[in-house]
Amino acid sequence: MTASLYRAVAFDLDGTLVDSIADLAAAANAMREALGMAPLPQARICTHVGDGVATLVHRALTDAHDGEAPQALWEQGFALFVQHYRTHLADHTRPYPGVTEALGLLKQLQLPLAVVTNKSSRLAMPLLEQLGLAGYFCMVLGGDSLPEKKPSAMPLLHVAEQLGLKPGQLLMVGDSANDVLAARAAGCGAAVVAYGYADAATLGADHIVTSLVELYDLLKNESH
């Protein structure tokens, strides 16, 4: 995969565009407190993030990556989590350094930009709006937007189709194995950020960037 093929960029949200772990952890612990459970360390909750809120609630209730809470408890926990999180989306969440600058530079190149996240679109869109990022993107796909979410190829194939591109002309930028697996399954390029919630060097991406600004150098010849 060479950079000269890329004609659009899809971004993960949490851990890639924004550092949201403090607000996610606060919502998880508010849920646990309401259910009479002791709080979990923020670093522990960080290991449970990446597969959407529904899965995060299971993991936060059981404190196990493969944990599955009883249905009634999960339903109660999910409602509590979303109730808290929806009203505290951006208390502490901020774009990572360089994100706003990078999005502006990429827009100058007239490259279509999309968000492909496993976070519910009902939470992702308000968060992007509150942080002033929504206007950079022509499309936002949440984990509930299509029948399948990352690591499925479906979201990236949908983006490519909607933009009239071949999958190989789309670069997926994320911070997790789900992002790279989705890119590989779809036939897209894969880039990961070095500052995200996983060890970038272990993910097997085509590109590792320490700042999203570096994407400008990677892609600046795309519009010529």
Side-chain angles (χ1 to χ4, degrees), residues 175-177 192-194 196-204 208:
D175 74 306
S176 73
V192 293
V193 296
Y197 299 153
D199 182 355
T202 68
L203 299 177
I208 298 177

Side-chain angles (χ1 to χ4, degrees), residues 46-119:
C46 185
T47 68
H48 295 329
V49 171
D51 291 297
V53 168
T55 301
L56 175 58
V57 168
H58 275 296
R59 292 171 179 169
L61 288 171
T62 62
D63 192 23
H65 192 76
D66 297 322
E68 188 167 334
Q71 183 67 18
L73 177 62
W74 177 86
E75 289 178 2
Q76 188 179 5
F78 184 84
L80 289 165
F81 182 100
V82 172
Q83 180 181 17
H84 184 279
Y85 187 53
R86 185 181 285 136
T87 55
H88 299 277
L89 276 172
D91 284 6
H92 303 286
T93 299
R94 296 292 181 271
Y96 283 104
V99 165
T100 303
E101 179 185 357
L103 295 176
L105 288 169
L106 293 177
K107 289 292 279 186
Q108 288 179 23
L109 296 177
Q110 299 183 323
L111 291 174
L113 307 179
V115 171
V116 177
T117 174
N118 282 346
K119 184 193 288 296

Side-chain angles (χ1 to χ4, degrees), residues 2-209:
T2 60
S4 62
L5 294 176
Y6 303 138
R7 293 291 183 269
V9 186
F11 293 92
D12 178 49
L13 182 56
D14 301 273
T16 301
L17 294 174
V18 303
D19 185 358
S20 55
I21 192 63
D23 289 325
L24 288 168
N29 279 328
M31 171 193 71
R32 287 177 60 89
E33 181 181 4
L35 294 171
M37 299 178 178
L40 295 173
Q42 180 173 299
R44 179 63 179 169
I45 294 173
C46 185
T47 68
H48 295 329
V49 171
D51 291 297
V53 168
T55 301
L56 175 58
V57 168
H58 275 296
R59 292 171 179 169
L61 288 171
T62 62
D63 192 23
H65 192 76
D66 297 322
E68 188 167 334
Q71 183 67 18
L73 177 62
W74 177 86
E75 289 178 2
Q76 188 179 5
F78 184 84
L80 289 165
F81 182 100
V82 172
Q83 180 181 17
H84 184 279
Y85 187 53
R86 185 181 285 136
T87 55
H88 299 277
L89 276 172
D91 284 6
H92 303 286
T93 299
R94 296 292 181 271
Y96 283 104
V99 165
T100 303
E101 179 185 357
L103 295 176
L105 288 169
L106 293 177
K107 289 292 279 186
Q108 288 179 23
L109 296 177
Q110 299 183 323
L111 291 174
L113 307 179
V115 171
V116 177
T117 174
N118 282 346
K119 184 193 288 296
S120 163
S121 59
R122 290 171 292 179
L123 298 171
M125 277 304 303
L127 178 57
L128 288 166
E129 289 164 0
Q130 288 180 35
L131 295 178
L133 299 178
Y136 290 104
F137 302 104
C138 65
M139 192 184 318
V140 177
L141 291 183
D144 56 349
S145 297
L146 298 169
E148 298 177 12
K149 61 186 179 181
K150 299 177 297 184
S152 167
M154 185 180 290
L156 294 179
L157 292 174
H158 180 81
V159 171
E161 181 182 11
Q162 292 297 306
L163 295 177
L165 300 175
K166 297 176 181 178
Q169 294 175 310
L170 177 65
L171 177 65
M172 176 67 208
V173 183
D175 74 306
S176 73
N178 278 344
D179 299 311
V180 177
L181 289 170
R184 293 288 179 251
C188 300
V192 293
V193 296
Y195 54 75
Y197 299 153
D199 182 355
T202 68
L203 299 177
D206 302 305
H207 314 280
I208 298 177
V209 296

